[in-house]
Amino acid sequence: MTGGRRVWVAGVVAALLTTSGCSAAVSRTIDGLALDTLTQGLDDALAGLEVRSSAQVEALVRDARTVVVDPERTDSGVGQVEYATYGEREGGRAADAAIPVVVWHRTVGGGPFVDDGGVWHVVCARLSVDRSRTAFAAEPVGCPDDVTLEPVQPAGDDPAPHLDLDPPDAGELVTGSPPRRGSSSVALRPMSRGRADPCAADDLDLALGPPQRLTGYDAVPLLVVNTGPLACRLAAATGLVLVRDGEDVPVRTTPWRGEVVLAPRESASALVTWRPVQGIDGAAAQRLSVLGSAGPDLLPVRLASSAGTGVPTVGPGAEVTFSRWERRGYGAGGGEDPVRPDVAPRCRPEELAVTSEHPDAGSGRPLPPSVRVHLTAVTPCLLVPGVSALPDGVPDAVEGPPVLLAPGEAVDVITVTAGPDRPGEVLVADRWVAVENAPRAW
């Protein structure tokens, strides 16, 4: 749901609350908005997730609370949202069963029957993953009798609670067929990056690629993209902070020196390695942050790995080594086995780079107009061709089936008219940039 549609629906809900009372239809609309808020938050927080089991997904859903829940949200219609999982825990629920959740949401300023402090409402649902949309889905169900009317709000960064309540009938954890996939793409490296100041934390997005096994070591690529409007100098990573189940895991880090300059939307990667450690629960909810690359700021690393949690399962006291940053150009591939997630957000036009040149049809039938679209983000996303799917500067895409793009992948997209003839260039960050060894779009 777009921000504009959410505001429109919230306004309608507020009007209905004021003029007609809280009818069953209005209540269902508000509940639907609350469930949308939860699922959209989980889509963003868990982008890159590969579903392994109900227990694995439940642990990640609970740990995502600090990202999903916004205590300051009080807009009319549906405001602050809290949630908890409930029902049977590990061993009591099938590995492929949907996850029962309780969602509390608070209306504020909804009419004469709503006080200044707001009123909490509650809705229950079965949480699943729709692979065809690469997104979470929530099917409303009846709540158990013992559900409280106000949420149990955890303190600080604690995960969402699990409530010992009777579960609903089991649903399926995964539904739908996966979308078609993108194809490997040569990195497009800009010819010139210009002058550069140090990178700011707000202009960097970090994620992990698929885990690798080296001789005597475990490894995972660390991917970073410059999301800012200007080129910037990316300093070496000097350390990491690993949190498991709310507790810091002390590790020793060995950094490499050196920095790289990244153009807007250009990526770099470094390899994080450690010796295998036995006895670490890879399904435990974990978070990872990196030190040093943007001065004193702590840089959070997003989930983007085919491992259960996307975070190295190193033990306390382990020694972790960072390699030097390597420039990857527009689109940082995560390795030979790209992430194929079950959850991925829609691709935003600013995350896409486009190559466009007129093909030589030869003696055959003319080819339909098209451009080649490359993903510059460090987490996968779902490209849904159509109006407004591509950056400004190229024609609109013809509506077509969704395509799941992993970092470093590309896809040919049919357009309503031929794109501009720009051999050797790529449209990225609202400008055409000369690149090294730009591949042909067809």
Side-chain angles (χ1 to χ4, degrees), residues 22-315:
C22 188
S23 68
V26 173
S27 179
R28 286 194 297 270
T29 300
I30 301 175
D31 289 346
L33 285 172
L35 294 179
D36 283 348
T37 299
L38 172 63
T39 55
Q40 290 167 8
L42 292 174
D43 290 344
D44 292 337
L46 301 182
L49 169 67
E50 280 189 329
V51 174
R52 300 293 182 85
S53 68
S54 182
Q56 169 231 12
V57 176
E58 179 181 339
L60 294 172
V61 165
R62 293 182 59 210
D63 194 62
R65 174 190 168 272
T66 55
V67 179
V68 174
V69 172
D70 180 5
E72 302 300 321
R73 179 176 175 161
T74 57
D75 49 306
S76 184
V78 58
Q80 183 181 352
V81 170
E82 286 282 355
Y83 67 95
T85 59
Y86 73 98
E88 296 170 310
R89 297 297 297 275
E90 299 178 19
R93 186 170 68 232
D96 59 354
I99 301 165
V101 291
V102 182
V103 180
W104 295 272
H105 53 97
R106 187 172 60 171
T107 54
V108 178
F113 301 105
V114 180
D115 60 29
D116 291 339
V119 172
W120 285 101
H121 307 265
V122 62
V123 58
C124 297
R126 281 191 295 244
L127 201 62
S128 60
V129 172
D130 182 353
R131 277 186 172 145
S132 67
R133 299 188 302 112
T134 64
F136 277 91
E139 177 189 4
V141 297
C143 286
D145 293 337
D146 296 336
V147 168
T148 59
L149 297 180
E150 294 192 3
V152 179
Q153 294 177 285
D157 291 338
D158 288 347
H162 181 88
L163 306 179
D164 185 15
L165 299 170
D166 291 335
D169 293 337
E172 294 184 357
L173 178 62
V174 176
T175 63
S177 299
R180 71 186 182 104
R181 301 171 175 177
S183 58
S184 299
S185 174
V186 176
L188 308 174
R189 293 185 173 86
M191 297 288 285
S192 175
R193 299 181 299 284
R195 300 180 60 182
D197 292 324
C199 293
D202 290 344
D203 292 334
L204 297 175
D205 190 17
L206 286 82
L208 296 178
Q212 304 173 13
R213 177 59 61 87
L214 307 178
T215 303
Y217 289 91
D218 285 340
V220 64
L222 176 64
L223 312 175
V224 59
V225 62
N226 173 16
T227 61
L230 302 173
C232 70
R233 293 200 318 271
L234 179 69
T238 59
L240 61 80
V241 177
L242 178 63
V243 178
R244 182 181 293 119
D245 289 339
E247 300 290 335
D248 287 353
V249 178
V251 295
R252 296 175 295 146
T253 52
T254 302
W256 287 73
R257 295 183 181 275
E259 61 182 18
V260 295
V261 175
L262 298 180
R265 299 305 314 183
E266 188 180 9
S267 301
S269 67
L271 197 62
V272 184
T273 58
W274 67 97
R275 290 189 179 276
V277 177
Q278 300 298 320
I280 300 298
D281 181 8
Q286 302 170 82
R287 291 195 297 274
L288 180 69
S289 301
V290 172
L291 297 167
S293 298
D297 293 308
L298 198 65
L299 300 177
V301 178
R302 292 206 284 162
L303 173 73
S305 174
S306 57
T309 61
V311 177
T313 54
V314 299

Side-chain angles (χ1 to χ4, degrees), residues 386-413:
V387 177
S388 302
L390 303 182
D392 293 337
V394 293
D396 286 335
V398 174
E399 291 188 6
V403 182
L404 181 61
L405 292 177
E409 289 190 334
V411 65
D412 293 330
V413 174

